[in-house]
Amino acid sequence: MTEYSTSPTGEKFRLPTPEDYSKEFERLKRLVDDRRARGLEIVVVMGLGFVGAVMAAVVADAQDKDGNPTKFVIGMQRPSTRSFWKTPFLNRGISPVISEDPEVPFMINRCVNEKKTLMATYTYDALKLADAVIVDVQCDYLKESLGNVRDGRADMEALEKSIEIIAQNINAQTLVLIETTVAPGTTEQVAYPIMKKVFKKRGIEGEALLAHSFERVMPGKNYVASVRDFWRVCSGVNEEATRRVVKFLNEVINTEKYPLTVLDRPIESETAKIVENSFRATILAFMDEWSLFAERNGVDLTKVINAIKVRPTHSNIMFPGPGIGGYCLPKDGGLGVWAYRHIHGFEDDIFKITPLAININDTRSLHVAQLTRDALRNMGRPIASAEILLLGASYREDVGDTRYSGSELIVRRLTEMGAELRVHDPYVLHWWEFEKQDEYPGNSHGLKRFFRGQEKLKDLRVEQDLKNALEGTDAIILAVRHKHYLNLDPDEVVGNAGGPIAVIDCFGILDDERIKRYFELGCEVKGLGRGHVKRIKDQVREKREQILIDISVKEEKRDLSLSSEDLELLSNGCKLGTED
Ligand SMILES: NC(=O)c1ccc[n+]([C@@H]2O[C@H](COP(=O)([O-])OP(=O)(O)OC[C@H]3O[C@@H](n4cnc5c(N)ncnc54)[C@H](O)[C@@H]3O)[C@@H](O)[C@H]2O)c1
């Protein structure tokens, strides 16, 4: 049966058949012979995902002091129905990943079509031609329950398989650089033994040249710079591997401005990545309890954080938003905790803070559903069958990456509670976690399985027109600090909605003026970490009561003239409940 892979744009590509492989290898050999003759080194990048596609282009764009290209890069993507389309896309010069950084498509097009230093293939035979291989395949952490990262495991399958295939194909002098974020110990205790065994079978004497250097990719406007113009840490399994990885990174990364840190052993480089991300996950998780404290004690956490931030030693204190998403922070600490037992064989439990931080972050957004329920209740509207508009699907501001976003959990929980959800996000065209919720993300490990009543979410589509999305809504949830949401005018929002609504601010988006205005318009406002909204509500209520007193005085004096503002506040104020 002929199999196809369909691109996100809907284009269908036939998967290669056995006959295609030999022809493809002949094509590769011709190209490689030509580039080698011009003095270029051959680099294979395995895995053309978010990281691999851009790293491949950065390497292909490298040049010597005279401006001549130094590397010919073959991006290697396995021909699965899910991912094969990336190969023909890249060969046309089209980026297989969508990025807000205009340099991504520009650089890929330049390297493929002008410099001719970048191409993609589906055949592992490409590895036979490589001087260096970069491994950028995924290494997931699969969680078995919501809010308990210990109940899970590292999914090493793609990585182990890749390493085995690499060892079967490369020559002994090929540098293998693992960039995948791995459980600490993986390079030396998982990958190296695999390579050693395969090399032995192939009769190759000598040690594999294996190294680790992690990516610090940041989605967003500076995507390319976060790969190329940023500090790197690296280490090899032996002296020669370390020498080679240092030489390679010096040739492709801007190490003059961002010097390399060379560590003694790969486990140190691997641990650096995990600690770096666990640190960030922890400082965010730590704010969750203070966020609740703030909500219950009339404190505006955003102002507290800004007050602390002026102290240079505390400048990286952060407001956590509705959960901590993205591909890395929710899983990386889990890889470390898992490695301690399953790679290093320890039985005791030394980890307290790292798993706790992930568990807090993984469930923080559920509180948003409670705030929405309470705000609607205060307006006399039940959550069941309420129309709710979520503003922002991605995991951080001004990017289109929805992986493990807190917004997903908000939608799932509110749906479970009977609400009808709509979504707006200017950066997200398809929210695959819902549209393809039975197959994405893979390994049947989507968040759907932790909630009931999720079937209808397959039909959830991301609205691009905010005005349309607002029409007839009972509540809006400001979930992400996209620039489009920072200055929304309350009068317009309420006007487009067709009347007073509940407004839930998850990310310190509303200033006090806007909060006040929403209350004046008869809306209910709640926010993560924003306990002071109650004070503003009381002020609006007091003002309304004062107007009522004024009316009765005027009535006594038989003078019933009222300003239009007072009239408006009075009529909207009737809707202002007394509950908190
Ligand atoms: N995305 C980020 O922001 C980010 C940041 C820093 C580090 N990282 C790390 O980088 C690594 C890669 O992440 P990503 O976001 O690019 O993942 P991804 O899932 O987007 O990409 C992985 C790619 O590898 C391919 N692949 C898997 N097995 C293969 C094989 N045997 N041969 C060829 N291709 C294969 C997959 O099909 C996919 O295209 C992860 O370890 C991640 O933790 C990611």
Side-chain angles (χ1 to χ4, degrees), residues 47 49-51 77-78 83 86 124 138 162 180-181 331 403:
F50 281 82
V51 176
Q77 175 60 51
R78 62 182 169 180
S83 298
K86 293 177 188 177
Y124 290 122
Q138 72 275 24
S162 301
T180 300
T181 305
K331 75 167 167 61
R403 292 188 286 179

Side-chain angles (χ1 to χ4, degrees), residues 256-269:
E256 243 169 58
K257 204 156 169 210
Y258 302 92
L260 282 178
T261 301
V262 185
L263 295 176
D264 293 341
R265 290 177 54 197
I267 191 175
E268 290 171 337
S269 166

Side-chain angles (χ1 to χ4, degrees), residues 46-52 76-78 83 86 124 136-139 158 162 165 179-181 215-217 219 273 327-328 331-332 403:
M46 252 181 128
L48 294 177
F50 281 82
V51 176
M76 202 270 124
Q77 175 60 51
R78 62 182 169 180
S83 298
K86 293 177 188 177
Y124 290 122
D136 272 325
V137 304
Q138 72 275 24
C139 175
S162 301
I165 293 166
E179 288 200 343
T180 300
T181 305
E215 282 287 356
R216 284 169 163 153
V217 178
K273 173 68 183 182
Y327 186 42
C328 298
K331 75 167 167 61
D332 286 359
R403 292 188 286 179

Side-chain angles (χ1 to χ4, degrees), residues 273-285:
K273 173 68 183 182
I274 300 297
V275 173
E276 189 169 300
N277 277 351
S278 298
F279 167 69
R280 204 154 162 95
T282 302
I283 56 171
L284 285 156

Side-chain angles (χ1 to χ4, degrees), residues 118-219:
L118 176 61
M119 61 162 295
T121 189
Y122 49 83
T123 174
Y124 290 122
D125 285 341
L127 293 159
K128 296 186 168 71
L129 309 169
D131 299 309
V133 178
I134 302 178
V135 183
D136 272 325
V137 304
Q138 72 275 24
C139 175
D140 287 327
Y141 186 85
L142 306 178
K143 295 174 187 167
E144 297 299 340
S145 48
L146 187 63
N148 182 9
V149 68
R150 288 177 193 280
D151 188 12
R153 64 178 173 88
D155 179 7
M156 310 275 282
E157 205 188 312
L159 185 77
E160 285 177 330
K161 176 121 195 286
S162 301
I163 297 294
E164 194 177 347
I165 293 166
I166 290 167
Q168 283 160 353
N169 286 285
I170 58 170
N171 69 60
Q173 289 314 305
T174 306
L175 168 72
V176 179
L177 169 55
I178 299 179
E179 288 200 343
T180 300
T181 305
V182 291
T186 298
T187 302
E188 286 156 284
Q189 287 182 238
V190 179
Y192 189 73
I194 293 175
M195 293 193 73
K196 198 171 165 182
K197 212 163 127 190
V198 177
F199 270 20
K200 200 171 163 201
K201 257 196 200 155
R202 290 177 60 199
I204 296 177
E205 306 248 318
E207 295 181 13
L209 299 178
L210 184 60
H212 182 262
S213 175
F214 58 89
E215 282 287 356
R216 284 169 163 153
V217 178
M218 284 298 292

Side-chain angles (χ1 to χ4, degrees), residues 28 79 178 198 200 287 291 301 391 404 408 424 501 505:
L28 286 181
I178 299 179
V198 177
K200 200 171 163 201
M287 293 311 291
S291 177
L301 190 66
L391 297 179
Y404 304 106
E408 182 184 346
H424 174 272
I501 54 173
D505 181 3

Side-chain angles (χ1 to χ4, degrees), residues 435-455:
E435 271 187 52
K436 295 199 173 179
Q437 59 179 358
D438 294 324
E439 58 209 84
Y440 181 84
N443 299 310
S444 328
H445 266 77
L447 294 171
K448 178 190 165 196
R449 72 209 144 103
F450 301 128
F451 299 87
R452 68 177 187 93
Q454 303 289 296
E455 277 316 307

